[in-house]
Amino acid sequence: MVQNSLIKGTLNPIILRLLSERKRLYGYEITQLVKEISDGKIELTFGALYPILHKLEVDGVVKTESEVINNRNRIYYSLTETGKNTAKERVAELEDFVNTLRVLLKPNFGLEYAIAK
Amino acid sequence: MVQNSLIKGTLNPIILRLLSERKRLYGYEITQLVKEISDGKIELTFGALYPILHKLEVDGVVKTESEVINNRNRIYYSLTETGKNTAKERVAELEDFVNTLRVLLKPNFGLEYAIAK
DNA sequence: TTGATATATATAAGTTTCTTATATATATTT
DNA sequence: AAATATATATAAGAAACTTATATATATCAA
């Protein structure tokens, strides 16, 4: 499992990334998808997930459809039109962040020129 | 600037990464180094930095040397022997996390085989 | 038929981790 | 004289999670 503290701040853009690649997803499905894609390394808890989804809905980023499947209620989330742009922005920020981290992790930070050790 | 919320949880391992590459660093120097390496994208504030450094010292991960330079006090931080192992572990976790994020950002999450869209 | 596991959503209390504001002090540049 | 750079530090507050708890149905194993 990924050190929990590292996840902070990345769950929101991760969820938007998932919704960008799929037409619609329901909450439980999102937790399973994150687990599967991350090879079990990222465990997205419900306590984190649902508040994020609810806020995204309030902010008009996602919209919901409720369906009863196997006698259980299932709430599908999908990006709104404006939400698609929001998702693009947040995902781009995450990509930028990942690239910055990669530089920080390079031997000597990729600064091959003269910087005193 | 990187979306602030993304930084959460990564500052600690980033500082340990810097200290792994340098013999010793002082606080102000760390903020400048992070700014330089990240091309201005990560702004490490003092309010975040010093509490982290103090905790690392209390935990025996870093040790300090105080020197007066240009009439100003300067506190150098360096990894202790056990701190070097701690740093290796935290940096490895961060590398692992970055790799996981990269998979999540891949088109279709790198899952080219059959997963219903 | 009982218990465990999987499916499914939800909220509240608590913790961690950072931001913002504030304080102090010297050196250098304009 | 004022602004900027250097240098460390703490406190209040906000953001973003974790952990605990609640509710309910379906399936599988003993």
Side-chain angles (χ1 to χ4, degrees), chain A residues 57-114:
Chain A
E57 190 179 11
V58 169
D59 293 345
V61 176
V62 301
K63 59 180 187 292
T64 60
E65 311 164 76
S66 193
E67 287 182 26
V68 175
I69 294 181
N70 289 331
N71 225 22
R72 276 195 293 270
N73 197 39
R74 187 182 284 182
I75 301 170
Y76 281 100
Y77 292 84
S78 56
L79 293 172
T80 61
E81 279 309 307
T82 59
K84 287 177 187 173
N85 289 322
T86 306
K88 268 183 200 160
E89 285 168 20
R90 295 288 163 276
V91 172
E93 282 166 6
L94 182 57
E95 280 173 341
D96 197 39
F97 180 59
V98 168
N99 287 331
T100 299
L101 285 181
R102 279 164 57 77
V103 172
L104 277 159
L105 288 169
K106 277 186 185 172
N108 209 26
F109 321 120
L111 301 172
E112 276 75 27
Y113 49 87

Side-chain angles (χ1 to χ4, degrees), chain B residues 9-106:
Chain B
T10 61
L11 290 183
N12 195 293
I14 283 174
I15 291 170
L16 292 177
R17 175 77 185 84
L18 300 183
L19 288 170
S20 299
E21 283 281 310
R22 296 287 193 274
K23 278 195 187 73
R24 59 179 198 172
L25 291 168
Y26 55 97
Y28 187 84
E29 191 179 18
I30 291 175
T31 65
Q32 300 306 302
L33 194 53
V34 168
K35 199 189 223 175
E36 183 187 356
I37 297 169
S38 72
D39 203 25
K41 284 169 192 162
I42 295 182
E43 189 102 20
L44 176 48
T45 63
F46 299 119
L49 175 67
Y50 288 113
I52 290 174
L53 287 175
H54 297 335
K55 183 157 195 318
L56 287 173
E57 190 179 9
V58 169
D59 292 346
V61 177
V62 302
K63 58 180 188 292
T64 59
E65 311 163 76
S66 193
E67 286 181 29
V68 174
I69 294 181
N70 289 331
N71 225 22
R72 277 195 293 269
N73 197 40
R74 186 183 283 182
I75 301 170
Y76 281 100
Y77 292 84
S78 57
L79 293 172
T80 60
E81 279 310 307
T82 59
K84 287 176 186 173
N85 289 322
T86 306
K88 267 182 200 160
E89 285 168 21
R90 295 289 163 275
V91 172
E93 282 166 7
L94 181 57
E95 278 173 342
D96 197 40
F97 181 58
V98 168
N99 288 330
T100 298
L101 285 181
R102 279 164 57 77
V103 172
L104 276 159
L105 288 167
K106 277 187 187 172

